[in-house]
Amino acid sequence: MSRELETLRNSRPDNDGANSSGAATGDTSPPPPEAQWETSGPPTLDESGLDTIAFQLGSCELNSELVVDVFRIFTAFFYPHLPIIDRNICISQIFLSSPFLFWSVLAIVVSRDIKPLYGDIFSRLREPHQSLLQVSTFTIPLPLSSIQALAYLTAWPLPVNKQPQDPSWIYCGIITNAALYMGLNHPNPTPSLRSIGVLSGSVQQRRLAWLGCFSLSTVHGMFVGVSPMINTSLDLDLIERYARDPPVPREFSHQVMIQQIIAKYMNILLYSREMDVNHPLVFLVDSELDQLRSNRTTEWTPRVEFSLYVAKLHLYTMTVIRMQSDSTMRDVFLKLGFTAAIRIIYLANQGIAYTSEDDFQIPPGLVQRTIPKYLSKGHVLAAIFLLRYFALNSLATAEDQEVARNHVALTFTYMASLSTHPRDEYARVARLLGILSRQNPVNIEEHKLRIENRMGASLIFDAITTGVELRNEPAELTEDGLDDATKTQDAQAPDAAEEENDLELTGDPMEELSPLDFTLPDDIWGDALWGMFGIGGMDPSSHF
């Protein structure tokens, strides 16, 4: 293992900004200078040819004006997060050639409930879309358009009653295996042969789809606690080559490269039990993440910064969870995690959604509902990390406890403000934070996690389990109990099922966080906070 670590150290980029994985693969060419990058340009929307089309799926019929409105919102707020389809978006062409992709875009946008009319539309569209999804997913082999549709449903899954019902991770497996079958992981397109059964697609579309499959599967793997699906040196080298291509939008490229660095080292971190090797390796990964930023001086946006710190927090959290004896190093990683979590919450509260100069008649606060769900999960991880290791840790200093409580309160306020229904996912997060925050501080060393083998996700799973117990409900599933719960839910009418939902948030949601009900300091983002990290006077927004 020591020899392997030395090899990894030797593969680190030099100070001149050489490619991080090129040294290991023989590609020593430096990345193209930022000034030479060609932007692919903003997405454009083609609204031609809609007058003769009847937009109907099952019993859900929509007029062309509404369809255009939805696609305008998708183009402005959703597409830039995951630009894996042609940036020249022709509505009629997508409808005629890729109905699953078309209706998935509609379902994703209206399910975000960012306009009053959308809730009713989604209630009519959900069932026929679910039927279309089942048919399309089992149409073997999957065409590229179905991979793209499922990728968008992975980033923006439709609402579920309980988090374990979220199908994102299942979709990751489907799109990754379908992409492998199509040969998207090969530089040269696979011929469109009848024996294979799918069209190869354009080179650019193939590359963007493969980058999307990789990025989504890696980030979702972190949140369910499994190692990256795509992790061989050859695959990761190709990912980097694709990401560095000028036509790839730079912000998307940076997001992919963050996941590429994590995937490159994750298996060693997971399966090595030698802490003397793991600690230097964690610092090595941390350094490569920092160097990624120093090599990409343009288009380094708050969204990329957010993803960078979420990756760092996962790295620190999984290290802290596995450390049992070295309290000094554990404290170092806890403090690093403390800094990362605060930064994540700051960026989220500043807003990481895309903005537009066009008038979409969306309340400013609800625009944040357009961000991918995995970004919201990073926000939740930051709050739970602060709760466990600082706000509710009697061993933490009074100053750290107060700062942590302030930022958990900010997260609660943020989630509660995005909730449009007392039982939606934002309300459930707010309720969980409120329930957890009612606990008294304890000696964290005497309260071990019940789940320790799910990387940073262990923290979230344990917090949810604790929340269930604090509601005096059984935390473990049994076969009989699961069957009974399923039968009960199936037997109930929809309204009754909602009333019995154990995640219901009643009354004023702000009351759920009563232990944190105090005035936040005026300079919560000012010198007093950042001075704790040796960077007093720093303006957190100066990076952008």
Side-chain angles (χ1 to χ4, degrees):
M1 182 59 68
S2 298
R3 188 181 302 111
E4 189 171 14
L5 177 58
E6 187 62 31
T7 301
L8 290 171
R9 283 175 174 155
N10 293 336
S11 71
R12 289 182 62 183
D14 297 328
N15 293 330
D16 62 359
N19 165 359
S20 61
S21 69
T25 61
D27 179 10
T28 58
S29 59
E34 292 291 343
Q36 296 179 9
W37 278 59
E38 298 178 5
T39 59
S40 56
T44 59
L45 191 63
D46 184 350
E47 304 173 14
S48 63
L50 302 181
D51 295 338
T52 59
I53 297 178
F55 298 102
Q56 183 170 359
L57 183 64
S59 60
C60 181
E61 185 174 357
L62 306 176
N63 59 53
S64 59
E65 291 79 8
L66 177 62
V67 170
V68 170
D69 180 61
V70 169
F71 267 86
R72 287 180 65 237
I73 291 175
F74 172 78
T75 303
F77 299 107
F78 292 80
Y79 174 86
H81 287 288
L82 193 61
I84 60 172
I85 62 175
D86 195 322
R87 68 184 182 88
N88 300 310
I89 302 173
C90 179
I91 299 176
S92 59
Q93 181 180 355
I94 294 177
F95 175 79
L96 294 173
S97 64
S98 311
F100 179 36
L101 176 60
F102 173 87
W103 290 106
S104 293
V105 168
L106 282 167
I108 286 169
V109 175
V110 299
S111 71
R112 267 47 216 173
D113 211 12
I114 54 180
K115 287 190 174 184
L117 181 63
Y118 283 1
D120 176 65
I121 297 172
F122 181 62
S123 66
R124 292 186 286 117
L125 178 58
R126 180 162 196 164
E127 185 175 341
H129 177 266
Q130 183 69 22
S131 300
L132 177 63
L133 184 151
Q134 293 172 357
V135 171
S136 302
T137 302
F138 288 99
T139 300
I140 308 301
L142 288 185
L144 184 59
S145 62
S146 292
I147 294 176
Q148 293 165 331
L150 284 172
Y152 282 122
L153 289 168
T154 301
W156 291 276
L158 302 184
V160 293
N161 289 329
K162 299 181 180 181
Q163 186 54 37
Q165 299 170 348
D166 185 338
S168 301
W169 181 241
I170 303 300
Y171 293 164
C172 284
I174 295 173
I175 61 175
T176 301
N177 283 285
L180 290 170
Y181 181 83
M182 285 192 69
L184 301 189
N185 59 323
H186 297 300
N188 300 319
T190 302
S192 301
L193 300 176
R194 289 183 179 275
S195 58
I196 297 173
V198 286
L199 296 172
S200 60
S202 70
V203 172
Q204 184 65 8
Q205 291 290 298
R206 291 168 57 86
R207 292 186 175 188
L208 289 172
W210 182 238
L211 291 178
C213 290
F214 165 76
S215 181
L216 288 169
S217 63
T218 304
V219 72
H220 278 283
M222 289 195 300
F223 285 113
V224 297
V226 302
S227 57
M229 293 183 184
I230 304 168
N231 56 31
T232 69
S233 59
L234 289 176
D235 282 331
L236 295 178
D237 178 54
L238 184 64
I239 291 294
E240 183 168 0
R241 285 173 52 194
Y242 282 1
R244 293 169 63 214
D245 278 350
V248 176
R250 290 185 231 178
E251 182 174 297
F252 181 51
S253 170
H254 302 339
Q255 298 275 13
V256 171
M257 286 305 302
I258 290 171
Q259 303 308 322
Q260 193 262 3
I261 291 172
I262 292 297
K264 186 163 54 173
Y265 297 107
M266 187 55 66
N267 279 344
I268 299 176
L269 289 170
L270 282 175
Y271 300 117
S272 170
R273 294 296 177 181
E274 301 178 29
M275 290 295 107
D276 59 332
V277 173
N278 267 19
H279 296 167
L281 184 54
V282 171
F283 288 119
L284 174 63
V285 180
D286 192 62
S287 175
E288 285 209 21
L289 289 170
D290 288 334
Q291 192 165 29
L292 175 66
R293 174 176 174 170
S294 65
N295 290 342
R296 306 290 191 270
T297 55
T298 62
E299 297 295 330
W300 191 264
T301 66
R303 286 169 292 278
V304 181
E305 184 90 349
F306 186 94
S307 295
L308 181 82
Y309 276 101
V310 170
K312 282 173 171 273
L313 184 58
H314 269 282
L315 188 67
Y316 305 145
T317 301
M318 64 178 290
T319 305
V320 167
I321 289 172
R322 296 179 63 188
M323 296 178 69
Q324 303 294 332
S325 56
D326 191 342
S327 59
T328 300
M329 287 302 299
R330 190 169 185 266
D331 288 342
V332 169
F333 287 115
L334 280 173
K335 202 64 177 179
L336 288 171
F338 184 72
T339 309
I342 287 175
R343 184 66 177 162
I344 289 167
I345 293 172
Y346 164 76
L347 290 167
N349 276 270
Q350 293 298 299
I352 55 175
Y354 282 93
T355 58
S356 175
E357 296 180 356
D358 296 334
D359 181 17
F360 289 98
Q361 298 180 340
I362 301 174
L366 293 186
V367 171
Q368 298 303 317
R369 295 177 67 94
T370 65
I371 68 173
K373 185 174 178 178
Y374 57 79
L375 293 180
S376 295
K377 288 182 178 179
H379 192 178
V380 174
L381 173 64
I384 291 176
F385 180 91
L386 291 177
L387 265 177
R388 176 175 174 80
Y389 291 113
F390 294 95
L392 299 178
N393 183 5
S394 62
L395 301 180
T397 66
E399 184 179 22
D400 286 351
Q401 285 182 351
E402 181 178 2
V403 171
R405 286 165 62 87
N406 288 343
H407 286 78
V408 174
L410 285 171
T411 301
F412 172 84
T413 303
Y414 174 93
M415 295 295 172
S417 70
L418 292 183
S419 174
T420 59
H421 188 276
R423 286 173 291 275
D424 65 18
E425 294 178 349
Y426 295 102
R428 299 204 303 265
V429 170
R431 184 181 187 218
L432 174 63
L433 294 178
I435 290 173
L436 294 175
S437 300
R438 292 196 185 105
Q439 302 173 95
N440 294 319
V442 297
N443 184 340
I444 202 68
E445 302 301 330
E446 298 176 358
H447 289 73
K448 302 298 182 182
L449 292 170
R450 283 155 291 193
I451 305 170
E452 297 182 343
N453 61 349
R454 291 295 189 100
M455 303 191 291
S458 299
L459 220 58
I460 297 178
F461 288 129
D462 191 81
I464 294 174
T465 302
T466 300
V468 170
E469 292 176 341
L470 291 173
R471 295 197 298 269
N472 296 317
E473 297 171 5
E476 295 187 5
L477 289 177
T478 63
E479 291 293 337
D480 293 339
L482 185 60
D483 291 342
D484 291 343
T486 304
K487 292 176 183 177
T488 300
Q489 185 172 358
D490 291 342
Q492 289 174 323
D495 290 344
E498 288 185 358
E499 292 175 1
E500 296 298 326
N501 193 318
D502 64 344
L503 296 172
E504 182 177 2
L505 182 66
T506 58
D508 181 0
M510 294 305 294
E511 293 179 359
E512 294 287 343
L513 209 58
S514 54
L516 306 184
D517 185 17
F518 52 84
T519 303
L520 300 178
D522 293 334
D523 70 337
I524 191 167
W525 303 120
D527 295 350
L529 172 65
W530 296 105
M532 296 172 59
F533 310 124
I535 48 178
M538 167 184 166
D539 178 6
S541 63
S542 61
H543 297 299
F544 316 120

